[in-house]
Amino acid sequence: MVFDTTQRLLLAQWAVALVVIPLLQIVYRLVLHPLARFPGPKLAAMTKWYEFYFDICKSPGGQFAEEIRRMHKVYGPIIRINPDELHVEDPEWYDTLYASNPTRRDKWPAAAKMVGTPLAGFGTVEHTVHGKRRAALSPLFSSRSIVDAGDVMKEQIEILCRRFGHHHKTKEPIGLRTAFMGFTLDIVSVFALGESMGLQHDMDRARGWVDMLKAVSKITPMAKQFPWLISWGQKLPLGILRVIDPTMAGLLQVHEDMHTRASRYLTGKAMKKPGEESRQKSSRATLPPLFEHIHSSGLPAHEKKLQYRSWTIPSNTPVGMTPHDVLFDPNVFEEPGKFDPGRWIQEPHLERYLVIFGKGTRMCQGMRFAWAELRMTFATIIRRFELKLYETSKERDIDFIGDFFIGANHPDSPGVRVNVVDVRA
């Protein structure tokens, strides 16, 4: 009899845990939650498994961004996309959400945890702390610093041009994704760490980086659904992780390499005599700029209510917008998929909607560096070489079919490839 009573008690507890609590949670989310009155599918408001289905289960994966676009067509410019989050589709409101200082915006903790770097700018939740961490790197990305890096860029551009010239001689197509991956990482590593990774001289390693980043991007939807996934993986020994998930192991190997570089730098700082540091201050080869700026900086929650049209958004609500939707909005850019450089001359106000680097206090800190690299590189390549696309399909190799934090094209795509058909004097 005692056993029977205990069994019933356990069954009742399981019933509460598995049935009653989830039902109460659903009622709360649909009726009492601060976002209950916002438009959107009721199923999305009830559970995050709705988002999980589109991002993880629906082929080819990463389809929730497309589902969000469909929801906007049905429910309007502001929608509830999961129990806790809103999404806005309105280019005119982009500057309001991603406002510059003195506006203060904390990051949604779940999004901050997604890449497993809680001490980096991307992984920082609190606005004030993020500002201090960003300020530590500001000198590295200043206009003066980027001008000084001109010779580094020219040196790497020349190496890239030699590769284009080699492919002109051999008549072999060149994979632009791999070539520019090696080029970009070599420039960034010299600029930030004081030494090149040497990927332009080793295309196999450059291809390895392309493959790793593609594979890591495929993990991103899963990490978005389960933010603890990356931090859990970081606790495992690399040897074991290589067996379980080689992709995540490759990513964490990069994290470990950066920790090693930082430790080596700090050890060197500790062993320097007082007079040595000033003599070596200008040497990039002996003083990695990234660590130097962080080391010499002064590094040591607040969320305003937002108003979108007639909607008052509750405090501490994660609100998102999608840059792709702004960049491809036909109401802003006529024929957004068409290559039309003249639009920027005829309508200079469109610069406001060029949100490729984000906006506000968390926009890409390396924007100036990226623009300098882009302009110098393409000015040189286009001036010196005549290129022709090789077996390239817009639908397969260029168009996005999934959102894995970065846009993904078709899984069978070999990337954009070109033949170098002529070398200009």
Side-chain angles (χ1 to χ4, degrees), residues 293-306:
H293 285 301
I294 293 173
H295 185 76
S296 61
S297 70
L299 278 175
H302 176 272
E303 182 71 42
K304 293 173 66 177
K305 282 190 177 180
L306 281 171

Side-chain angles (χ1 to χ4, degrees), residues 8-161:
R8 289 179 180 177
L9 183 60
L10 285 172
L11 285 172
Q13 289 173 337
W14 276 106
V16 169
L18 297 177
V19 179
V20 178
I21 292 177
L23 283 175
L24 290 175
Q25 188 177 51
I26 288 171
V27 171
Y28 168 75
R29 287 172 172 174
L30 293 178
V31 180
L32 302 175
H33 193 284
L35 304 185
R37 62 194 179 88
F38 285 86
K42 295 304 180 187
L43 190 56
M46 287 164 54
T47 175
K48 284 191 175 182
W49 290 109
Y50 185 85
E51 180 178 354
F52 179 92
Y53 167 76
F54 284 99
D55 258 349
I56 309 298
C57 302
K58 187 174 181 180
S59 180
Q63 296 301 298
F64 192 55
E66 187 60 36
E67 171 62 9
I68 289 174
R69 294 187 193 103
R70 186 200 68 81
M71 288 193 281
H72 276 299
K73 290 176 182 177
V74 175
Y75 296 100
I78 183 168
I79 55 173
R80 186 183 184 185
I81 61 172
N82 63 41
D84 304 310
E85 187 178 0
L86 299 176
H87 191 277
V88 174
E89 187 179 69
D90 184 346
E92 300 301 325
W93 201 65
Y94 204 90
D95 287 331
T96 301
L97 180 60
Y98 300 106
S100 301
N101 283 319
T103 303
R104 302 174 64 177
R105 299 270 190 269
D106 286 351
K107 194 167 191 172
W108 189 24
K113 291 176 183 176
M114 198 169 65
V115 295
T117 55
L119 299 180
F122 187 90
T124 302
V125 173
E126 190 180 38
H127 173 90
T128 305
V129 177
H130 174 266
K132 291 177 180 177
R133 289 175 176 169
R134 186 181 175 93
L137 291 177
S138 291
L140 181 64
F141 294 108
S142 67
S143 298
R144 177 73 265 170
S145 180
I146 292 167
V147 169
D148 290 343
D151 289 341
V152 170
M153 293 189 185
K154 289 176 184 175
E155 179 184 347
Q156 294 299 325
I157 290 170
E158 286 302 319
I159 297 173
L160 181 66
C161 286

Side-chain angles (χ1 to χ4, degrees), residues 150-192:
D151 289 341
V152 170
M153 293 189 185
K154 289 176 184 175
E155 179 184 347
Q156 294 299 325
I157 290 170
E158 286 302 319
I159 297 173
L160 181 66
C161 286
R162 287 200 291 272
R163 176 157 298 281
F164 274 80
H166 169 75
H167 280 264
H168 174 252
K169 291 177 182 177
T170 63
K171 307 301 181 184
E172 295 176 351
I174 182 170
L176 296 184
R177 181 183 293 166
T178 302
F180 284 114
M181 176 66 75
F183 165 72
T184 299
L185 288 177
D186 279 356
I187 278 190
V188 171
S189 59
V190 174
F191 180 71

Side-chain angles (χ1 to χ4, degrees), residues 204-220:
D204 286 339
R205 287 178 58 218
R207 273 188 288 273
W209 270 87
V210 170
D211 293 341
M212 185 184 76
L213 291 179
K214 284 173 67 177
V216 166
S217 72
K218 297 289 185 182
I219 301 174
T220 307

